[in-house]
Amino acid sequence: MQRICVIGGSRYFGKLLVKRLLAAGYRVTVLNRGSTPPPVGVEHLVADRNDEAALTAALGSRTFDVVVDQVCYTPVQAAIVARAFAGRTRRYVMTSTIEVYDPATAALPAVPAGTPVPEEVVDPATWLVATDLPWHDEAYLEAHYAEGKRQAEAVFTRSGSFEFASVRSAHVLGGGAQEFTGRLAHYAECIARGREITVHAKALPTVFIHYEELADLLMWASTVGFTGPVNACSDGSLDVHGLAAIIATQAGREPHYRTVRAGEEASPFSVDRHYAMSNARGWELGFSFSRTTDWLPGAIAEAFTTEPSPTT
């Protein structure tokens, strides 16, 4: 029986991943700061991942077949756990993000608009790592979220202590109140109440994934042997107008748009830069993706019963 350690795993698709690993017969350990206990049958280790001594003490003599890291945001965090798990696991899977491809956050190779972005656009094996930046500062980290993820991938890739894979997730939707960003609920409320949606003059497509599909993909990534990054997105991209149109059909209301000026912030999922991902590598490795338009109506129905987040 394989032993799998999930770092984080207390909410949304991470919580679902833990439940599915347990149901599939794996011996599951969850490591977090202790705010939320895991399901019955899951070993719980309490430690702050940023405290290397406390983390090492909590791990004790334990070893694992696989570690799935849901909450790694900086190269400093990556370096700490890479040292702590050296010799303790044969495989390490990190949850990363579509934002690593955002051309507004780094000098990246150009990808023609309309061409889905492949994994090799951001190569962690060659990415510059700077652990002396103020990664501990919350404001800095929020402003440099994409770069923190790129550098964390780079640290793990070069550690040499285990085989490493990163799962670069698209925008995650579904689950109603579990979808903690509240973005889909925000759109549902705007359209249902006739409020305006702010959009770019030329809004470009982006990609999405259902939270259950992402949990399935992370479990799959834990049990197969590929290394390097893999993009995680359902088939079919949507721009903000396409997304709003599907919501509007279910609401029985017309969406109202306002075009933002240059430099003005638009509603979530309205993007003016091309970085919609390709999932071709995932297909080639053997994962079968769903179509966004197949699960999106159900996710929208859940969102209509959810209060939007005050931060959206």
Side-chain angles (χ1 to χ4, degrees):
M1 183 186 299
Q2 284 197 324
R3 293 190 54 137
I4 298 182
C5 177
V6 179
I7 303 177
S10 63
R11 63 177 180 174
Y12 206 26
F13 58 86
K15 184 177 180 179
L16 181 59
L17 170 65
V18 170
K19 291 180 178 179
R20 292 197 171 174
L21 288 169
L22 186 63
Y26 295 101
R27 294 176 64 187
V28 184
T29 297
V30 165
L31 190 153
N32 57 33
R33 289 178 295 182
S35 58
T36 305
V40 174
V42 173
E43 181 184 36
H44 191 195
L45 301 181
V46 177
D48 182 348
R49 65 168 303 144
N50 299 303
D51 184 336
E52 187 169 352
L55 174 59
T56 302
L59 290 171
S61 60
R62 292 172 180 82
T63 61
F64 305 95
D65 294 287
V66 185
V67 176
V68 183
D69 194 340
Q70 299 281 76
V71 287
C72 187
Y73 301 107
T74 76
V76 176
Q77 291 178 326
I80 288 171
V81 292
R83 289 191 295 267
F85 282 95
R88 296 181 188 270
T89 187
R90 63 168 179 79
R91 182 168 178 80
Y92 204 101
V93 178
M94 172 190 157
T95 303
S96 190
T97 174
I98 184 177
E99 300 303 328
V100 301
Y101 299 116
D102 184 352
T105 64
L108 301 173
V111 178
T115 302
V117 178
E119 288 85 354
E120 55 264 29
V121 166
V122 175
D123 181 1
T126 61
W127 201 263
L128 179 66
V129 172
T131 56
D132 57 345
L133 296 173
W135 295 114
H136 61 281
D137 181 84
E138 290 188 9
Y140 182 86
L141 178 56
E142 182 177 359
H144 297 84
Y145 170 70
E147 182 60 17
K149 286 288 192 179
R150 285 187 288 256
Q151 291 196 25
E153 287 190 42
V155 169
F156 284 127
T157 299
R158 298 170 197 170
S159 74
S161 300
F162 34 65
E163 61 184 44
F164 172 68
S166 59
V167 174
R168 294 173 176 171
S169 172
H171 305 293
V172 189
L173 300 178
Q178 294 185 72
E179 197 268 288
F180 60 90
T181 68
R183 290 175 176 177
L184 195 55
H186 165 78
Y187 274 89
E189 182 189 44
C190 285
I191 292 171
R193 299 188 182 183
R195 297 176 181 171
E196 69 180 15
I197 298 168
T198 52
V199 298
H200 294 99
K202 186 179 180 182
L204 297 176
T206 189
V207 285
F208 302 90
I209 191 167
H210 193 272
Y211 84 108
E212 292 184 356
E213 185 169 22
L214 183 53
D216 289 340
L217 192 148
L218 286 164
M219 187 161 77
W220 166 81
S222 302
T223 59
V224 295
F226 76 91
T227 58
V230 65
N231 292 336
C233 58
S234 302
D235 287 346
S237 60
L238 285 171
D239 64 15
V240 63
H241 298 282
L243 176 64
I246 297 173
I247 298 171
T249 296
Q250 291 185 234
R253 300 286 299 272
E254 288 295 318
H256 299 282
Y257 300 106
R258 178 177 66 82
T259 302
V260 299
R261 297 183 296 274
E264 183 182 356
E265 187 174 355
S267 294
F269 309 137
S270 179
V271 295
D272 58 355
R273 306 173 302 282
H274 171 60
Y275 58 107
M277 300 186 298
S278 165
N279 63 11
R281 185 174 191 234
W283 274 108
E284 291 167 1
L285 289 169
F287 188 83
S288 296
F289 290 96
S290 68
R291 289 198 62 80
T292 301
T293 50
D294 289 341
W295 56 257
L296 185 56
I300 291 168
E302 292 172 328
F304 275 120
T305 65
T306 303
E307 288 293 325
S309 166
T311 60
T312 57

